[in-house]
Amino acid sequence: MSLTVLMNAGPWLSVPPPGYGGIENVVATLVPELRRLGVRVVLASVETSTLAAEERISVFPDGQFAALQRPYNQVCGIAQAHLAGVVRAVRTRDDIDLVHDHVEAVGLATLAAMGPDAPPALHTLHWDLAKHPALYGHLDGGDRVRVNGVSASQLARAPRALREHSVGHVHLATPLAVDADRRKPPAKGGYLLILGRINPGKGQDVGARLAQRLRMPLVLAGPVGPYHRPADLAAAGDEARQNPDVRFFLDEVAPHVDGDLVRWIGTVAGQERDDLLAGARAALFPLRWEEPGGTAVVESLALGTPVVATARGCLPELVEHGRTGLLTTDEDELADLVSAAGRLDPDECRREAAARFTPAVMAQRYVELYERVRATAAAAAPPTVPTARLTGAALPRPAGGSGATVGTATGDLLPA
């Protein structure tokens, strides 16, 4: 396949991320499989990214995640600086066939604002589409910018203008799903697990109260705001309360965390994370929001852990009630479902994941969408004179950054 894709992962975390990182984990899962299909990938991320790609573009030396919830006037230029580097790259070379963008709001707005100068672009929507009504409700990407969702339910709630630019949805995948049906099942522990960033939408407070009522052990694994370990949060002092996720944790979750029945262990990664998830009696998702993608859901199934959840967002698309999990629309019913989860067969979960949620399935679907987006753009575009290709050129260095650079075929960064 002769196709070069600029994969825009954004400036927030390295790829793969050091622990938590939803979008960055999606990119880290997708890119290797695209390359196996013959797609050349130019990765736009931060310099500490280690994911192999044909080339890399960087504006910042390291991830800017810690700045995300600072006041707007302090951080408003971070994503814009990164996107400016992406725009410079596509304007100074003629070998980029398509931009696959993952940067919330700013990525889509920048590509759409390029008008006829925009490359064919696919913007993946990873989040709640009610967040940016002024942008999504008036989107005009012309014939060159399209979007996709990560579930059908996500797109069903999208504003009309956004749906009109959609080319469909692609469910998330996990490398854990590869041969999941052939792995020997581990022994199950008696604990429940809530895996993911701690915030009101994920409902960790609901899970903590439930665990205390049932006297059933619960492990909370994930960051609280920018704090990945309990010691980090404790050391931050009162200043940490400026972060809304920290306030939620301290006010609503922490009173139920006793270090025994309910534990918060912070971010876990790698084999430790997989073992924790595989050993759980059930993965609990007491959601208060319409979950768009559900990375932790497909990971749970791949590791043979049934899902117990409120049936919101994508959960009914990913979980078969009574076979791979138990779903309810009534938060009060979660206690009964948790008690019944032990009767579900972990092998059924693994078989479902191996059939539906492998990186190969996701990558093949994205290649199909790339061709649709390119065909639409080509049909609408007037003939143009190709511009001279520039490679290996350093992009201007932003204040406080390290300089955007184009890497080599092995993915190493060139000196700025």
Side-chain angles (χ1 to χ4, degrees), residues 69 197-200 224-225 243-250:
Q69 297 197 37
R197 181 167 56 93
I198 294 178
N199 70 12
V224 175
N243 184 294
D245 287 350
V246 171
R247 289 197 300 273
F248 165 72
F249 175 76
L250 295 177

Side-chain angles (χ1 to χ4, degrees), residues 5-13 15 21-32 34 41-45 51 68 79 82-83 86 98-111 121-127 131-132 136 145-150 154 170-173 295 362-363 366 369-370:
V5 173
L6 191 156
M7 187 70 61
N8 185 21
W12 305 116
L13 291 167
V15 183
I23 292 171
E24 293 78 13
N25 274 320
V26 172
V27 172
T29 298
L30 175 61
V31 166
L34 288 176
V41 175
V42 178
L43 177 66
S45 182
L51 183 71
L68 265 177
H82 176 85
L83 262 295
V86 170
L98 179 135
V99 173
H100 188 173
D101 181 74
H102 300 267
V103 179
E104 182 176 0
V106 178
L108 179 60
T110 299
L111 292 165
L122 178 66
H123 174 83
T124 296
L125 301 154
H126 292 275
W127 36 80
K131 290 171 67 176
H132 311 294
Y136 293 150
V145 179
R146 291 290 181 266
V147 303
N148 77 276
V150 289
Q154 179 199 35
V170 182
H171 286 139
L172 300 176
T295 301
M362 179 171 67
Y366 270 117
L369 296 191
Y370 294 165

Side-chain angles (χ1 to χ4, degrees), residues 191-192 208-220 256-264:
Y191 60 91
L192 304 173
R209 291 195 301 270
L210 178 66
Q212 292 286 2
R213 188 165 80 247
L214 296 176
R215 308 305 296 170
M216 185 175 293
L218 170 67
V219 178
L220 306 176
H256 307 287
V257 176
D258 56 14
D260 180 22
L261 196 64
V262 179
R263 296 184 296 137
W264 172 49

Side-chain angles (χ1 to χ4, degrees), residues 47 49-56 407-414:
E47 286 185 16
S49 290
T50 59
L51 183 71
E54 278 64 35
E55 300 177 48
R56 279 188 274 170
T408 66
T410 61
D412 294 330
L413 293 169
L414 295 176

Side-chain angles (χ1 to χ4, degrees), residues 282-326:
L284 183 59
F285 296 88
L287 302 174
R288 283 201 186 91
W289 78 317
E290 306 301 331
E291 180 71 45
T295 301
V297 175
V298 300
E299 291 171 338
S300 300
L301 299 180
L303 290 168
T305 298
V307 169
V308 175
T310 47
R312 300 192 65 167
C314 66
L315 268 295
E317 296 176 45
L318 305 180
V319 176
E320 184 178 339
H321 180 73
R323 176 171 166 256
T324 60
L326 297 169

Side-chain angles (χ1 to χ4, degrees), residues 48 51 76 106 118 168 228-229 232 235 240 247 260 280 320 329 337 366:
T48 49
L51 183 71
C76 62
V106 178
H228 290 271
R229 300 181 305 162
D232 297 335
R247 289 197 300 273
D260 180 22
E320 184 178 339
T329 57
L337 300 188
Y366 270 117

Side-chain angles (χ1 to χ4, degrees), residues 20 38 53 220 228 236 374 384:
Y20 171 79
L220 306 176
H228 290 271
R374 293 181 66 211
T384 59

Side-chain angles (χ1 to χ4, degrees), residues 59-409:
V59 169
F60 293 96
D62 201 352
Q64 304 296 300
F65 182 79
L68 265 177
Q69 297 197 37
R70 292 178 186 164
Y72 175 78
N73 62 351
Q74 295 180 17
V75 302
C76 62
I78 293 176
Q80 286 85 345
H82 176 85
L83 262 295
V86 170
V87 170
R88 286 192 292 268
V90 298
R91 279 181 167 164
T92 55
R93 51 193 294 172
D94 64 358
D95 64 324
I96 302 296
D97 296 307
L98 179 135
V99 173
H100 188 173
D101 181 74
H102 300 267
V103 179
E104 182 176 0
V106 178
L108 179 60
T110 299
L111 292 165
M114 292 179 71
D117 292 335
L122 178 66
H123 174 83
T124 296
L125 301 154
H126 292 275
W127 36 80
D128 178 3
L129 303 185
K131 290 171 67 176
H132 311 294
L135 170 62
Y136 293 150
H138 301 89
L139 177 65
D140 182 4
D143 298 304
R144 307 187 67 77
V145 179
R146 291 290 181 266
V147 303
N148 77 276
V150 289
S151 66
S153 65
Q154 179 199 35
L155 289 176
R157 297 187 303 276
R160 178 178 176 181
L162 199 60
R163 292 198 307 272
E164 289 174 348
H165 284 77
S166 170
V167 289
H169 70 277
V170 182
H171 286 139
L172 300 176
T174 172
L176 297 170
V178 178
D179 295 329
D181 53 338
R182 300 180 182 180
R183 286 198 296 269
K184 183 179 179 179
K188 286 289 184 184
Y191 60 91
L192 304 173
L193 176 66
I194 301 181
L195 184 66
R197 181 167 56 93
I198 294 178
N199 70 12
K202 301 290 186 180
Q204 283 89 351
D205 58 322
V206 175
R209 291 195 301 270
L210 178 66
Q212 292 286 2
R213 188 165 80 247
L214 296 176
R215 308 305 296 170
M216 185 175 293
L218 170 67
V219 178
L220 306 176
V224 175
Y227 305 102
H228 290 271
R229 300 181 305 162
D232 297 335
L233 178 57
D238 292 341
E239 180 182 337
R241 291 188 67 91
Q242 296 179 21
N243 184 294
D245 287 350
V246 171
R247 289 197 300 273
F248 165 72
F249 175 76
L250 295 177
D251 295 342
E252 304 296 336
V253 182
H256 307 287
V257 176
D258 56 14
D260 180 22
L261 196 64
V262 179
R263 296 184 296 137
W264 172 49
I265 62 172
T267 299
V268 290
Q271 193 61 49
E272 179 187 6
R273 179 181 183 273
D274 295 347
D275 291 344
L276 181 69
L277 186 49
R281 172 190 176 96
L284 183 59
F285 296 88
L287 302 174
R288 283 201 186 91
W289 78 317
E290 306 301 331
E291 180 71 45
T295 301
V297 175
V298 300
E299 291 171 338
S300 300
L301 299 180
L303 290 168
T305 298
V307 169
V308 175
T310 47
R312 300 192 65 167
C314 66
L315 268 295
E317 296 176 45
L318 305 180
V319 176
E320 184 178 339
H321 180 73
R323 176 171 166 256
T324 60
L326 297 169
L327 305 176
T328 179
T329 57
D330 183 358
E331 187 178 291
D332 293 333
E333 192 183 5
L334 282 173
D336 294 335
L337 300 188
V338 165
S339 300
R343 297 197 291 268
L344 298 179
D345 184 359
D347 287 339
E348 287 294 301
C349 300
R350 284 188 285 269
R351 281 192 285 269
E352 184 77 353
R356 295 181 59 198
F357 302 126
T358 64
V361 170
M362 179 171 67
Q364 185 57 53
R365 174 64 171 152
Y366 270 117
V367 168
E368 294 169 3
L369 296 191
Y370 294 165
E371 295 302 335
R372 285 182 60 186
V373 173
R374 293 181 66 211
T376 300
T384 59
V385 177
T387 58
R389 178 181 176 185
L390 301 177
T391 59
L395 298 174
R397 185 189 302 268
S402 68
T405 59
V406 178
T408 66

